[in-house]
Amino acid sequence: MDSSSEVRTKKVWPLKEIRELVEQGHAIVISEGYVLKLYAWLNRHPGGAKVILHVVGRDATVELNAFHSKEVKAQMARYRIGKLEEPWVNVIPPIQRQSLRIPENEVEKEPSTPISEVPLIDVTVTENLLAVPCQTNPDTDASSTASSVFDGEGLRLRNRTEGSSVDSEEIPDLETKMMDATELETRFQALIARLEDEGLYDSKLSAYVTEILRCTILFSLSMVFLRMEWYATSAAFLGMFWHQIVATAHDAGHLAVTHDYNIDFLIGGVVLNFCGGLSIGWWKRNHNIHHIVTNSPTHDQDLQILPFIAISPVFFDSLYSTASECIMHYNWFAKFMVPKQAWTYYFLLSVARFNLYYLAWDFILRDLGTKLHRKQRIFELVGQIFFWTWFGYLIVYRSIPTISQRIIFCLICHMITLPLHLQLTVSHFSMSTEESEPSEHWIQRMFRTTMDVDCPTWMDWFHGGLQFQVTHHLFPRMPRHNLRKASGYVKEFCAETGLKYEVYGFGESNGRMLDRLTEVARQARYLKDCQDSIVSKGEYLHGHWD
């Protein structure tokens, strides 16, 4: 660290001044008592800019430690601009609220208010990332207004008073229901140190070799049966191959294979782009946000499945998605599909991979990554061309003679991947979707919004190790093969801190998810009936909306 950096680091900031900087648009994050100014890093962050914006104005010590190696954390010192005068009190990040807007012509510049002793860096931010649009559709019609009124004052109130599980999870207050936040962090850091001492952050080469052999066998069997013209059987084994390789790509995306960014990105790209037709760049951007704002209807894209599925009644309000930067309209098609979602859910999961193809191409062609990703864009594009050459042209078009057989082949190989999508959704969709209060700790949120799926050890290969979602969310850089052992330590941690660790069998977890879907669907039908009744009687014309 040079002398100028040391001077900046020694500056002591009053809380009031830091809050003002946050409100003025500076990307200020607190870590270990230091003030980090990360605006210059937004468009270079490998995990995307928005994952940083979701911790602006917060003490993100635990999050930064969970997602970054010691080497990366050491490099963060260059972004320190001083220390805090007293303990920080979290505020809601500007991206998560309506109150802060920055004109589009100001977004490409560093915030105008100078920070003393810190030279501003001229950077270009290509997206209006710090501007926060209104969270509901301003162009509401009578039916959408009815949605807002009945959902806000009727349906959601009914959830809490009659014991429905939908959005009824209360957010515990750290000060009254748990130990002090500082003590919670101290114990969590001690847990991380214990896991590191146990070697649970170290990769098992033998485990990855076993996975490579398994995937090679599955792909080889698919090609053998394709040559034998057993097209359905070939498609089934190809789907199994895709199902298995995604787990490896998941580890690579979290830098859990070699812990080296370039090598793991290469592994993830080969697996996802070249072998699976998906995008490692899109996955990293989307998935990192999911880990920070898990189960947030407005910020977590994994929950945003309108017009087909609504996990919570809040989606009836046509929310604005900060992830997709668009309004999720609860339109006529959503009103038709959501009441039937408990019946259509498994079918939609079976064809979900087609949507992932679209998202991959959209991400690459529109160049939605950070400046760092733009250097990797060609690699991803070559991967897409390679995939659609071997799968789309050589297998589907050249090897299968008729159109009907091609369609059946494609449906089978894609539907076989359903268990993977199901595995990831059951771990979250039946859990709380309430937005966090500023006082809620990130550790606390992970337990509130995530659950584990219990299964025998011999079934770990089928689930890919991703059934331990609570443990994975707490320690995202840990290889999947070590999550089972680490989950035992997590249970001990919960017993010490009073946090609730939820784990259910595969059947029960599916049942809980279906209960959630059924309840939201019932409320959607009730809302539609109320709207139809009011419109047919013309009651809204007589001031009944006031």
Side-chain angles (χ1 to χ4, degrees):
M1 184 180 295
D2 58 30
S3 58
S4 61
S5 298
E6 292 179 358
V7 171
R8 293 199 301 268
T9 302
K10 290 180 180 179
K11 178 177 174 62
V12 178
W13 290 86
L15 296 188
K16 181 180 179 181
E17 291 186 24
I18 295 299
R19 291 195 188 99
E20 289 175 352
L21 292 176
V22 172
E23 294 302 316
Q24 292 162 2
H26 293 273
I28 299 295
V29 178
I30 310 302
S31 177
E32 299 178 344
Y34 288 97
V35 181
L36 304 182
K37 173 176 169 285
L38 299 176
Y39 199 93
W41 187 239
L42 286 179
N43 240 354
R44 295 172 175 83
H45 183 235
K50 289 179 183 175
V51 70
I52 295 178
L53 296 180
H54 280 295
V55 295
V56 167
R58 292 183 58 87
D59 185 335
T61 301
V62 172
E63 293 95 312
L64 294 179
N65 289 339
F67 283 88
H68 302 96
S69 65
K70 293 179 180 179
E71 293 75 19
V72 173
K73 286 184 287 186
Q75 295 177 15
M76 291 181 188
R78 72 180 70 174
Y79 296 101
R80 292 175 180 174
I81 61 172
K83 296 182 178 180
L84 286 173
E85 186 177 60
E86 54 187 301
W88 177 252
V89 178
N90 288 334
V91 299
I92 299 176
I95 193 175
Q96 297 180 12
R97 49 192 163 97
Q98 306 180 43
S99 59
L100 182 62
R101 287 176 175 271
I102 297 179
E104 291 187 8
N105 60 350
E106 293 293 326
V107 174
E108 295 186 355
K109 300 183 292 185
E110 180 76 12
S112 57
T113 302
I115 301 179
S116 59
E117 303 176 3
V118 182
L120 298 181
I121 301 175
D122 184 18
V123 297
T124 301
V125 179
T126 58
E127 296 179 277
N128 192 359
L129 295 173
L130 289 174
V132 184
C134 181
Q135 291 187 327
T136 55
N137 183 1
D139 302 321
T140 53
D141 55 16
S143 61
S144 61
T145 305
S147 170
S148 177
V149 172
F150 278 86
D151 178 41
E153 299 181 5
L155 297 178
R156 209 173 299 159
L157 178 61
R158 180 187 180 283
N159 286 339
R160 296 191 179 278
T161 56
E162 296 188 15
S164 168
S165 63
V166 181
D167 286 345
S168 61
E169 290 284 345
E170 294 184 1
I171 301 177
D173 185 347
L174 276 172
E175 297 181 357
T176 59
K177 296 190 178 182
M178 283 179 42
M179 63 176 56
D180 177 77
T182 303
E183 176 65 17
L184 179 66
E185 285 192 17
T186 300
R187 296 203 180 198
F188 187 72
Q189 297 298 346
L191 174 60
I192 291 178
R194 185 180 181 185
L195 297 177
E196 289 176 342
D197 292 340
E198 291 283 342
L200 296 184
Y201 277 90
D202 299 333
S203 297
K204 293 181 180 179
L205 179 61
S206 59
Y208 288 113
V209 170
T210 301
E211 287 188 354
I212 292 173
L213 290 175
R214 184 188 306 126
C215 293
T216 301
I217 291 172
L218 291 173
F219 186 79
S220 299
L221 287 173
S222 176
M223 296 302 101
V224 168
F225 285 114
L226 180 67
R227 190 172 183 84
M228 295 171 59
E229 298 184 357
W230 290 22
Y231 300 125
T233 307
S234 173
F237 278 105
L238 181 59
M240 295 179 200
F241 167 73
W242 284 338
H243 168 75
Q244 288 292 307
I245 64 173
V246 168
T248 302
H250 182 274
D251 267 10
H254 280 295
L255 310 187
V257 179
T258 68
H259 306 298
D260 179 277
Y261 175 81
N262 292 318
I263 297 176
D264 279 358
F265 186 90
L266 179 64
I267 293 172
V270 169
V271 172
L272 274 192
N273 294 71
F274 285 74
C275 297
L278 309 182
S279 166
I280 184 64
W282 171 85
W283 182 89
K284 287 176 70 70
R285 184 193 66 165
N286 178 70
H287 196 67
N288 282 322
I289 296 174
H290 163 71
H291 270 265
I292 293 295
V293 288
T294 309
N295 267 28
S296 166
T298 52
H299 311 301
D300 185 356
Q301 196 172 22
D302 285 4
L303 256 65
Q304 298 169 358
I305 323 175
L306 277 182
F308 301 101
I309 300 288
I311 304 302
S312 165
V314 300
F315 285 101
F316 301 165
D317 277 336
S318 294
L319 299 179
Y320 180 88
S321 166
T322 60
S324 302
E325 298 183 5
C326 66
I327 294 173
M328 298 175 287
H329 292 283
Y330 190 69
N331 54 23
W332 67 269
F333 187 66
K335 293 174 183 177
F336 174 78
M337 292 297 299
V338 170
K340 304 170 180 61
Q341 63 184 12
W343 298 97
T344 62
Y345 186 71
Y346 289 102
F347 170 75
L348 291 172
L349 283 188
S350 69
V351 295
R353 193 178 182 89
F354 291 106
N355 183 54
L356 297 181
Y357 292 145
Y358 162 76
L359 292 172
W361 279 106
D362 181 65
F363 178 81
I364 296 171
L365 295 181
R366 292 175 59 197
D367 195 15
L368 297 179
T370 62
K371 287 184 177 180
L372 176 65
H373 176 264
R374 289 166 193 167
K375 299 178 181 179
Q376 303 156 342
R377 186 184 179 202
I378 300 300
F379 171 72
E380 289 215 69
L381 187 58
V382 170
Q384 292 295 318
I385 295 173
F386 180 84
F387 171 80
W388 288 106
T389 299
W390 74 259
F391 172 69
Y393 179 70
L394 295 178
I395 290 182
V396 176
Y397 181 74
R398 290 294 302 272
S399 302
I400 302 176
T402 67
I403 294 178
S404 60
Q405 288 175 321
R406 292 169 186 166
I407 293 175
I408 293 173
F409 182 92
C410 288
L411 287 176
I412 291 176
C413 65
H414 286 80
M415 294 175 76
I416 289 293
T417 63
L418 181 148
L420 176 66
H421 303 292
L422 184 61
Q423 173 66 63
L424 299 177
T425 55
V426 297
S427 298
H428 296 292
F429 283 9
S430 64
M431 302 298 286
S432 171
T433 56
E434 291 279 5
E435 297 290 359
S436 287
E437 297 293 335
S439 61
E440 184 181 33
H441 202 286
W442 177 79
I443 299 171
Q444 189 182 11
R445 179 174 189 149
M446 294 305 102
F447 284 99
R448 176 173 63 85
T449 59
T450 312
M451 71 177 186
D452 281 357
V453 177
D454 189 27
C455 75
T457 304
W458 63 271
M459 282 293 290
D460 283 356
W461 70 272
F462 178 78
H463 294 278
L466 296 176
Q467 71 271 32
F468 301 105
Q469 281 292 297
V470 174
T471 308
H472 166 62
H473 269 250
L474 294 172
F475 317 109
R477 294 183 298 110
M478 182 178 292
R480 291 168 293 109
H481 317 101
N482 299 330
L483 292 178
R484 177 176 286 277
K485 184 175 181 179
S487 66
Y489 294 108
V490 172
K491 293 175 183 177
E492 294 177 8
F493 173 76
C494 290
E496 295 173 357
T497 59
L499 288 164
K500 185 179 180 181
Y501 180 95
E502 298 200 41
V503 55
Y504 304 94
F506 190 68
E508 186 177 2
S509 61
N510 273 267
R512 286 170 56 87
M513 182 183 65
L514 287 175
D515 287 344
R516 162 66 69 96
L517 295 174
T518 300
E519 175 61 16
V520 176
R522 186 193 64 79
Q523 295 191 21
R525 290 193 297 271
Y526 177 74
L527 174 62
K528 186 177 185 302
D529 291 343
C530 290
Q531 292 173 346
D532 292 344
S533 175
I534 291 172
V535 172
S536 65
K537 295 178 181 179
E539 293 180 354
Y540 63 94
L541 298 177
H542 303 290
H544 288 245
W545 296 114
D546 298 332

